[in-house]
Amino acid sequence: MKEYDRKIITEDGSEYLGYGFGSPDERVLELVFNTSMVGYQEIVSDPSYTDQMVVMTYPIIGSYGINDDDFETKYPTIGALVVRDYNDMPSNFRYIKTLSELLEENNIPGISGVDTRKLTRSIRDYGSRRALITNISTTLEEGLEIIRNTPVPHDAVSRVSTKKRWYSRTSNPQFNVVALDCGIKLNIVRSLNRKGCNVTIVPYDITAEEVIFMKPDGVFLSNGPGDPEDVTQAVELVRGLRGKYPIFGICLGHQVISLAYGAKTYKLKFGHRGGNHPVKNLATGKLEITSQNHSYAVDPSSLEGTGLEVTHINLLDNTIEGVECKADKVFSVQYHPESAPGPEDSGYLFDKFLDYMKEAKSHAEEN
C-alpha cells in the first residue's frame, strides 16, 4: 500500500492523512465543505473560495478533467482541495488537462485518500475552523504552532478583484451594466451578455462618482470571498448609488447591499456550499433549488427600519436568502442564479434586473 505523504492538521488538534496532488505548498486555510456532485472545475476556479480548503463530499473527483470553457476565473485562487478518491485519468472529449495539472500550475495544494465523510461531519458538528495542509513529516505540535502564528487574512477581495476595468460586449445590446468585481464569476458576465447587456467590469474600490460618470443603466454587485464587513468601499458605493440606478447583488453583493442599508451580518457555523439548497420565494410561494457558496448571512433582527424587505428564505435553516427595496429598485439574493453547471431555477432574477432597468430608462426618457 502506498504510504501517506500529506496531512491536514486542524486547529482543534485533529489529523487527517492522505496523498498529495497538485502543488506541494503548505498553507493555513479555513476548512469548509461542498456538497455538489458535479462542477469541481467551477468550484476550483470560483474566487469566493480564496483562503479556503474545500472538502468535496462527492467521493470521486477529477474523472472528467479540466476544459477551456467552464472556468469562473482565469487564475484560480482556491486555497486547497480535499477529496476522497482522485481520478488522474479523465474520460471526456473536452478535457485538455487533469485537475492535478491545473492545481499545480496555480500553486494550489490538493490531498486525496482522506476520510471526507468523517471530516465533513466534524465541520458540520463543530463548525468551520482553520487548518494546515502540510507534509506528513510535520508533527501535530509543529502544525498547531504554524496555525497559531498565521494571521487571519482580511484582504481577500482586494487580491481577487480586477485592477482595471474591462469590457464584455454582446450583439444588439439593450443595456449598459457596470459590474463591481469583488471576485466575480465569469458565468455572471456571460448571463448578463445573454440577456442583452454590455458589461463593464470595474474594481471593487471604484467610487460612486466614477460610476455615475459612466452613465450605466444598472449596477451589479458580484460574489466574492471573505467577511462582507471588510469591503467598506463597496458598502459606501451602494450608499452613493442607491435610488439613482437599479442595483442587483449576488452572494457577497447581497451582504454588501444589506450593510449599506443599515442591516448587520453574522458568520454561519459552517456556511452553505453546494447545489441543492431549497429556497422559498415569499412572493410566489414557489420553491427553488439553488447553488450556494457563502459563510455569512444577514441578521433578520437588524432589518427593521432599513427599508429592505425579505423576499426569499432558506428552508433548511430559515436564513435570509433575498432582500429588496422596491422604491430604490435595489434587490439581492444570497444564492447563485447563474450557477454552472446548475441548477437553473432562479434565472428569472436576471429578467427582473432587466425589467427594473427598462422602468428606469422609460422614466428618464419621460422626464
Side-chain angles (χ1 to χ4, degrees):
M1 181 178 174
K2 182 180 176 183
E3 291 187 2
Y4 293 126
D5 58 5
R6 299 283 277 172
K7 69 163 67 169
I8 297 167
I9 299 174
T10 67
E11 63 181 335
D12 61 357
S14 301
E15 291 183 291
Y16 296 84
L17 309 185
Y19 310 103
F21 66 99
S23 167
D25 285 17
E26 180 179 270
R27 289 185 183 170
V28 176
L29 305 158
E30 181 186 18
L31 191 62
V32 300
F33 66 83
N34 187 295
T35 59
S36 298
M37 296 178 68
V38 292
Y40 58 78
Q41 178 172 342
E42 290 87 346
I43 291 167
V44 166
S45 60
D46 181 349
S48 295
Y49 286 111
T50 302
D51 299 329
Q52 292 180 332
M53 186 186 310
V54 181
V55 181
M56 299 298 297
T57 62
Y58 188 75
I60 304 174
I61 300 296
S63 54
Y64 53 85
I66 299 294
N67 66 74
D68 271 334
D69 303 321
D70 295 341
F71 284 104
E72 294 291 2
T73 186
K74 293 179 180 178
Y75 305 105
T77 55
I78 188 174
L81 190 67
V82 184
V83 305
R84 174 59 186 171
D85 296 312
Y86 170 64
N87 186 334
D88 205 40
M89 299 181 66
S91 177
N92 186 337
F93 71 97
R94 292 199 303 160
Y95 110 88
I96 57 167
K97 64 182 69 171
T98 68
L99 174 58
S100 183
E101 289 168 343
L102 175 70
L103 297 185
E104 187 175 9
E105 289 171 5
N106 291 277
N107 301 313
I108 300 166
I111 183 170
S112 66
V114 173
D115 186 345
T116 52
R117 291 180 298 179
K118 179 180 178 181
L119 184 51
T120 299
R121 285 195 294 267
S122 173
I123 298 169
R124 180 197 64 190
D125 294 342
Y126 303 110
S128 300
R129 51 200 181 280
R130 305 181 81 204
L132 169 71
I133 184 168
T134 184
N135 292 325
I136 195 70
S137 59
T138 303
T139 67
L140 177 59
E141 291 73 21
E142 290 171 340
L144 292 175
E145 185 69 17
I146 292 170
I147 294 172
R148 283 192 293 267
N149 291 333
T150 302
V152 177
H154 291 278
D155 61 345
V157 168
S158 67
R159 281 182 277 133
V160 300
S161 178
T162 184
K163 301 302 181 285
K164 61 180 181 179
R165 69 183 64 174
W166 58 279
Y167 307 90
S168 182
R169 298 185 175 92
T170 188
S171 57
N172 303 313
Q174 301 179 57
F175 303 104
N176 292 307
V177 172
V178 168
L180 189 72
D181 179 11
C182 294
I184 195 167
K185 294 167 66 178
L186 291 178
N187 204 45
I188 290 174
V189 179
R190 292 190 286 261
S191 296
L192 289 167
N193 285 159
R194 284 194 294 268
K195 293 294 184 179
C197 300
N198 281 340
V199 184
T200 303
I201 298 87
V202 298
Y204 79 103
D205 56 355
I206 194 171
T207 65
E209 291 73 20
E210 289 175 290
V211 173
I212 292 169
F213 182 78
M214 297 165 69
K215 298 181 178 179
D217 297 308
V219 177
F220 177 84
L221 304 180
S222 84
N223 61 293
D227 186 339
E229 293 187 5
D230 291 339
V231 197
T232 55
Q233 300 92 332
V235 173
E236 288 303 316
L237 178 72
V238 174
R239 288 175 177 159
L241 297 179
R242 61 185 180 182
K244 295 182 173 67
Y245 308 99
I247 301 177
F248 177 23
I250 288 176
C251 201
L252 182 69
H254 161 75
Q255 298 156 9
V256 165
I257 284 173
S258 300
L259 289 171
Y261 276 81
K264 303 295 183 182
T265 57
Y266 66 98
K267 191 168 185 180
L268 295 166
K269 183 178 180 181
F270 51 79
H272 297 163
R273 293 174 184 85
N276 49 10
H277 284 257
V279 167
K280 185 177 181 179
N281 183 323
L282 298 182
T284 65
K286 291 184 177 180
L287 174 68
E288 302 168 26
I289 300 302
T290 68
S291 177
Q292 308 210 6
N293 173 18
H294 62 103
S295 294
Y296 292 82
V298 175
D299 182 356
S301 67
S302 69
L303 285 175
E304 186 175 355
T306 63
L308 295 175
E309 62 176 293
V310 178
T311 59
H312 298 76
I313 58 168
N314 189 303
L315 295 184
L316 296 179
D317 59 9
N318 292 316
T319 52
I320 293 174
E321 292 284 355
V323 295
E324 181 175 18
C325 178
K326 291 181 180 178
D328 291 342
K329 295 182 173 61
V330 175
F331 71 105
S332 61
V333 291
Q334 183 63 80
Y335 53 93
H336 286 270
E338 87 300 337
S339 59
E344 300 179 354
D345 298 23
S346 309
Y348 69 89
L349 290 163
F350 287 100
D351 294 322
K352 179 174 181 174
F353 186 38
L354 263 62
D355 289 341
Y356 269 162
M357 288 191 288
K358 286 176 186 175
E359 289 179 22
K361 212 169 185 179
S362 297
H363 182 72
E365 290 172 354
E366 289 172 3
N367 295 319

